[in-house]
Amino acid sequence: MATTEVLISPEQLRASQRAERIPDPCVVVIFGASGDLTKRKLLPALFHLEQSGLLPEKFAVVGVARRPLGDSFAADMRDGILNGGGVEAGDPKLEAFVRKISYHAMNFDDHDGYIALKKMLDSVDQQYGTNGGRLYYLATAPDYFAEIIHQLGEHGMAKPEKNWVRVIVEKPFGHDLQSARALNDDVNQVFEEEQIFRIDHYLGKETVQNILVFRFANGIFEPVWNRNYIDHVQITAAEDIGIEGRGPFYEGAGALRDVMQNHVMELLSFVAMEPPSSFEANSIRTEKLKVWRAVEPIPLEDTVRGQYGPGVMGGVAVKGYREEDRVNPNSLTETYAALRLRIENWRWAGVPFYLRAGKRLGKRSTEITVQFKQPPMHLFTNDKNSPCGVIEPNIISMRIQPDEGIALRFAAKVPGPSMSSCPVNMNFNYKDAFGVSSANGYERLLLDAMLGDATLFAHRDGVEATWSLMTPILQAWASHPPRDFPNYAAGSWGPASSDVFLSRDGHFWRNS
Ligand code: BG6
């Protein structure tokens, strides 16, 4: 297998990772800080930024949640950072960072709690020199988003005074079109649009940003990136994990809301968008929006839903979804969703896009597969003795995770007297090429929010456009309850019915 060779020195690589700009002094205020996200993702990401010299010197973190955690919060965050790796216990940089973490206990609807929080943030400003810079991060259950936003407005905490004030809103942003609109209205009443950062951590992944670099920084791919050369596109977001103890959340969500409306739709927009006029928030958002708005309404027969039953994964017996903790034993929530859609514009008319996302599938793999049309005639016919059977089409696979990279599959002549061929892969692997593994996505996005760069965040119109596509499917599914759940075994590749619309078109899912 051929691999890529990176053509820059380690010094050049390090230089390219240096910040062009360090954010202004600020306090990151995390609402819902006692949850898993803060410990597993947000604090490790902030500390990695600190290690890379990308945080301002005058900086602090304040966790806000209901439980009276006191000083144990900072200690717990230290554990989270250590578990994230890349640092040893007792590292002076880590200890200095942990000293900048404090905690405030309050109920999110408690008027007095916000008065006390405001006072506390003023004293944090005094102590750390953060000068009124605020990045609020809403990491609570979504039911609290509107309340917190409203209270921040009521208490004069949303308007920039000495320095900027911004808010990051975690997903899920609404649970259908109507609720997403209502939440947008609530947020826009208190914050200006340029203060709002709707996060989708997929956009922070190097491999996702690399879709744009691959397409628009190279001259050779874009000319063939259209209906004339591409047969179809597959986007897979397969997870081997189950719902990880999040029963109550997942019962109200399901695969379509949890992953398809956001992560998969973002991948679709990057693969399908027109070249933006610049890499800047408004240009990117405009092009993404054009893609989602060009998607034809998706009929029920172009959708598949599934739910995992018990199975065996890696030799270990695994529970079915209905047996998971705090899940209804008769639950109709889908843990798998697949869609066929069409983007009716000049570039993509007639090219099917197949999308799927699911839990407890055979393997963790997020991947985009672009399958090209066959050559107009077969000059070389593999005969029965050919080791590889019929000639396969060219394929570009963009591996988003975990094996980050890109492969180009093409036919090569098998050595010997016959003209038979076998498919071979030209493979680029991030880790081999650059010697570093990618960050968790949150690092880049937290840094961008502190810098006020919204390029990799969702915009109001975009969120509503993707919900406009998903909501009719949710409604159709609700009025046609599934009769066959559970319909796939944990560890398999999803329900058999998900192969149907591909095979109808003469295709099959490519499971790497
Ligand atoms: C989250 C979903 O947004 O993304 C989870 O709520 C899912 O259910 C996760 O597991 C997947 O993220 P990643 O980065 O692990 O692919």
Side-chain angles (χ1 to χ4, degrees):
M1 186 190 289
T3 51
T4 36
E5 186 188 351
V6 73
L7 300 177
I8 64 172
S9 67
E11 291 71 39
Q12 285 169 313
L13 180 62
R14 270 194 295 278
S16 76
Q17 290 168 334
R18 250 173 247 141
E20 283 161 23
R21 207 151 62 88
I22 302 285
D24 299 327
C26 63
V27 187
V28 175
V29 186
I30 306 173
F31 288 90
S34 56
D36 214 29
L37 180 75
T38 309
K39 181 175 177 179
R40 277 202 313 126
K41 304 278 184 179
L42 304 183
L43 265 296
L46 286 169
F47 180 66
H48 286 155
L49 290 173
E50 171 75 357
Q51 279 180 313
S52 314
L54 298 174
L55 284 187
E57 210 176 300
K58 294 174 178 166
F59 177 80
V61 177
V62 173
V64 182
R66 277 165 299 183
R67 276 187 266 162
L69 295 176
D71 291 343
S72 70
F73 177 73
D76 204 30
M77 294 304 109
R78 181 198 284 111
D79 291 347
I81 294 169
L82 286 168
N83 284 341
V87 62
E88 297 289 315
D91 183 302
K93 217 170 192 163
L94 173 62
E95 293 313 315
F97 183 78
V98 171
R99 279 195 291 278
K100 296 179 178 181
I101 302 175
S102 41
Y103 183 76
H104 179 73
M106 65 180 245
N107 282 331
F108 301 128
D109 58 357
D110 174 18
H111 171 78
D112 293 339
Y114 287 87
I115 297 178
L117 175 63
K118 190 165 186 231
K119 231 165 123 189
M120 178 195 185
L121 292 176
D122 288 342
S123 79
V124 169
D125 277 344
Q126 296 293 321
Q127 191 180 348
Y128 297 96
T130 39
N131 198 29
R134 299 280 181 270
L135 179 61
Y136 300 114
Y137 197 120
L138 305 194
T140 61
D143 296 350
Y144 295 110
F145 291 169
E147 177 69 31
I148 296 169
I149 298 274
H150 169 75
Q151 295 277 0
L152 290 174
E154 281 281 289
H155 291 87
M157 298 167 78
K159 291 274 166 280
E161 284 174 7
K162 292 176 260 176
N163 207 332
W164 52 257
V165 176
R166 298 183 189 125
V167 61
I168 297 183
V169 186
E170 251 301 332
K171 67 175 274 283
F173 200 92
H175 62 269
D176 58 13
L177 178 58
Q178 202 189 358
S179 57
R181 273 195 185 134
L183 182 56
N184 271 326
D185 289 345
D186 288 333
V187 183
N188 282 135
Q189 259 178 25
V190 174
F191 289 95
E192 301 296 329
E193 185 62 34
E194 57 271 15
Q195 291 179 283
I196 307 165
F197 292 71
R198 297 172 193 79
I199 198 164
D200 182 320
H201 76 279
Y202 261 53
L203 293 180
K205 293 181 191 280
E206 293 287 354
T207 43
V208 174
Q209 294 160 33
N210 190 46
I211 299 170
L212 298 186
V213 173
F214 182 79
R215 290 189 53 199
F216 303 132
N218 295 297
I220 60 171
F221 303 115
E222 208 43 31
V224 295
W225 209 258
N226 57 51
R227 65 189 304 277
N228 298 322
Y229 297 93
I230 292 180
D231 181 77
H232 74 274
V233 178
Q234 300 184 9
I235 302 181
T236 295
E239 296 185 84
D240 51 2
I241 56 170
I243 54 167
E244 308 269 276
R246 297 191 303 159
F249 161 76
Y250 204 83
E251 277 286 90
L256 201 77
R257 290 189 171 99
D258 185 36
V259 169
M260 191 68 87
Q261 177 271 333
N262 36 75
H263 306 329
V264 178
M265 284 292 128
E266 291 290 350
L267 295 178
L268 174 73
S269 70
F270 273 23
V271 171
M273 74 194 223
E274 294 302 313
S277 51
S278 66
F279 189 67
E280 172 273 325
N282 282 337
S283 311
I284 300 281
R285 287 167 166 185
T286 307
E287 295 309 333
K288 284 165 53 174
L289 193 57
K290 284 189 337 209
V291 171
W292 294 321
R293 287 194 174 155
V295 174
E296 294 229 302
I298 302 160
L300 187 58
E301 59 273 23
D302 284 352
T303 72
V304 169
R305 58 197 142 150
Q307 186 191 73
Y308 62 86
V312 176
M313 298 185 70
V316 177
V318 166
K319 283 185 201 164
Y321 177 70
R322 289 177 175 182
E323 287 80 60
E324 299 271 14
D325 188 28
R326 293 179 295 159
V327 165
N328 177 349
N330 299 312
S331 175
L332 297 180
T333 300
E334 85 284 358
T335 58
Y336 177 98
L339 308 176
R340 175 173 72 167
L341 55 84
R342 293 188 182 276
I343 302 173
E344 280 308 304
N345 63 17
W346 200 265
R347 183 189 287 263
W348 294 115
V351 178
F353 284 74
Y354 305 103
L355 278 39
R356 62 179 168 164
K359 297 221 177 258
R360 285 284 190 227
L361 296 179
K363 188 177 161 188
R364 177 174 184 236
S365 161
T366 303
E367 184 159 338
I368 298 162
T369 303
V370 178
Q371 182 165 320
F372 288 84
K373 293 186 172 168
Q374 293 275 18
M377 64 170 284
H378 290 301
L379 200 51
F380 311 108
T381 316
N382 282 4
D383 63 21
K384 63 178 184 344
N385 298 322
S386 157
C388 299
V390 291
I391 293 177
E392 286 207 20
N394 295 124
I395 288 175
I396 290 178
S397 320
M398 301 185 191
R399 301 186 306 270
I400 304 299
Q401 61 190 22
D403 172 25
E404 303 168 319
I406 295 182
L408 168 63
R409 176 173 287 211
F410 57 92
K413 182 185 174 303
V414 177
S418 81
M419 287 304 282
S420 62
S421 67
C422 273
V424 293
N425 275 344
M426 216 150 75
N427 196 27
F428 154 63
N429 178 291
Y430 252 92
K431 208 162 174 206
D432 293 346
F434 292 109
V436 286
S437 22
S438 301
N440 72 14
Y442 282 97
E443 278 178 50
R444 168 71 191 263
L445 297 177
L446 281 161
L447 181 65
D448 281 3
M450 284 186 258
L451 290 168
D453 182 348
T455 311
L456 297 173
F457 290 83
H459 187 255
R460 172 175 187 139
D461 298 342
V463 168
E464 292 181 14
T466 51
W467 276 120
S468 301
L469 291 169
M470 298 299 126
T471 303
I473 301 173
L474 290 166
Q475 287 165 345
W477 282 0
S479 53
H480 296 85
R483 297 215 188 93
D484 59 347
F485 277 10
N487 59 356
Y488 70 97
S492 71
W493 274 100
S497 49
S498 119
D499 298 332
V500 169
F501 51 53
L502 273 82
S503 60
R504 239 171 24 208
D505 296 349
H507 302 311
F508 57 91
W509 290 112
R510 293 192 171 268
N511 301 328
S512 66

